Amino acid sequence: MNEYATQKIRLIMELRRQGISNTSVLSAMERVPREEFIPPTFRDRAYENIALPITSGQTISQPYIVAYMTQMLKPDLRQKVLEVGTGSGYQAAVLSKLFRRVYSIERFRSLHINAVNLFDTLKISNITSKLGDGYKGWKEQAPFSHIIVTAAAADVPSALVDQLGDNGVMIIPVGPDQGDQIILRITKDHHGMVAEEELIPVRFVPLVQGLAVES
Ligand code: SAH
């Protein structure tokens, strides 16, 4: 048995107790090795239900939040999903088990490159990543039936709403940097009418416009 197996089972049980009932989501969380996405210093804490620092001042989200947002997205194996904020690549890897294809955008070159290498090492072949400003979405691949944003936006980027297809669903944390943020579920009906629903309070790193300047 893998050294993390016991801790992983404990985490999955905790997620179930916390209300994650979608068995495909739980199974995806079980299949993705979270330790691979975490810097060596924190790796022994990979299966604690907490957010952890990655590089470039960013964080890998808490497992409960990853599971919750994924469940609220209502994943569909026949569809493609857009993720804004690749970060460590963990959320994208979870999505890769639940969607036909994942498109993921990151504004830090180093994070983007690390994630691409990791997907390759883990033999995940249905993620297409790019370095770019996710605030603008991914026009060439739009429309998306599903969009997930993993950084908090001051307000909902209109490009993302435009790129959401009819009958689509977007999960996005909204609110000020360091302030009260809330996850929104934005849906479009079959006429393209947009509706918005508030889910749970959260704390995310900010969605920042433009590419990151790196030293
Ligand atoms: N989904 C990630 C979470 C990383 S934290 C994971 O599972 O690890 C959020 C990420 O969003 C950070 O890496 C940050 O650099 C990125 N980000 C912030 N604003 C962005 C933007 N406008 N476009 C693309 N990525 C952005």
Side-chain angles (χ1 to χ4, degrees):
M1 234 169 42
N2 173 292
E3 59 173 311
Y4 295 103
T6 313
Q7 294 174 52
K8 187 182 259 191
I9 291 166
R10 201 171 293 145
L11 174 63
I12 300 295
M13 281 164 55
E14 185 175 333
L15 296 177
R16 290 181 72 127
R17 276 197 303 275
Q18 289 183 301
I20 307 304
S21 52
N22 183 320
T23 50
S24 311
V25 173
L26 289 166
S27 146
M29 300 278 296
E30 203 175 331
R31 284 157 65 204
V32 176
R34 189 169 185 254
E35 68 275 16
E36 300 288 341
F37 297 84
I38 290 173
T41 4
F42 301 105
R43 202 159 281 165
D44 57 337
R45 309 192 67 180
Y47 291 97
E48 290 182 34
N49 202 358
I50 52 173
L52 288 166
I54 50 174
T55 54
S56 307
Q58 305 303 314
T59 54
I60 173 171
S61 309
Q62 182 192 353
Y64 170 68
I65 296 297
V66 172
Y68 178 81
M69 289 175 82
T70 308
Q71 176 164 285
M72 293 317 274
L73 200 54
K74 295 209 174 89
D76 184 337
L77 267 176
R78 293 164 304 184
Q79 304 282 3
K80 59 183 190 180
V81 58
L82 172 67
E83 179 196 27
V84 174
T86 314
S88 68
Y90 177 68
Q91 171 79 69
V94 170
L95 295 170
S96 77
K97 312 290 182 212
L98 298 162
F99 286 90
R100 181 169 53 82
R101 182 153 287 277
V102 181
Y103 293 88
S104 185
I105 312 176
E106 172 56 52
R107 64 186 286 276
F108 277 94
R109 181 180 297 275
S110 54
L111 290 173
H112 162 70
I113 289 172
N114 281 346
V116 169
N117 289 337
L118 202 46
F119 300 148
D120 190 44
T121 309
L122 297 174
K123 300 194 163 49
I124 300 173
S125 54
N126 63 336
I127 303 177
T128 309
S129 320
K130 80 166 178 179
L131 176 68
D133 181 2
Y135 205 90
K136 302 195 185 106
W138 197 324
K139 219 173 179 171
E140 298 76 12
Q141 300 297 342
F144 296 96
S145 56
H146 298 74
I147 298 178
I148 179 170
V149 180
T150 63
D155 40 36
V156 180
S158 59
L160 296 183
V161 178
D162 292 345
Q163 292 174 28
L164 188 65
D166 289 354
N167 298 311
V169 50
M170 165 158 50
I171 302 293
I172 177 170
V174 170
D177 185 13
Q178 313 285 348
D180 289 337
Q181 302 169 356
I182 190 146
I183 296 181
L184 297 184
R185 173 160 61 185
I186 296 173
T187 47
K188 249 186 206 179
D189 70 10
H190 61 287
H191 299 299
M193 272 279 288
V194 178
E196 205 175 282
E197 179 192 346
E198 293 190 351
L199 302 177
I200 56 168
V202 276
R203 189 53 73 86
F204 270 90
V205 295
L207 184 75
V208 180
Q209 290 194 54
L211 283 186
V213 181
E214 291 175 83
S215 49

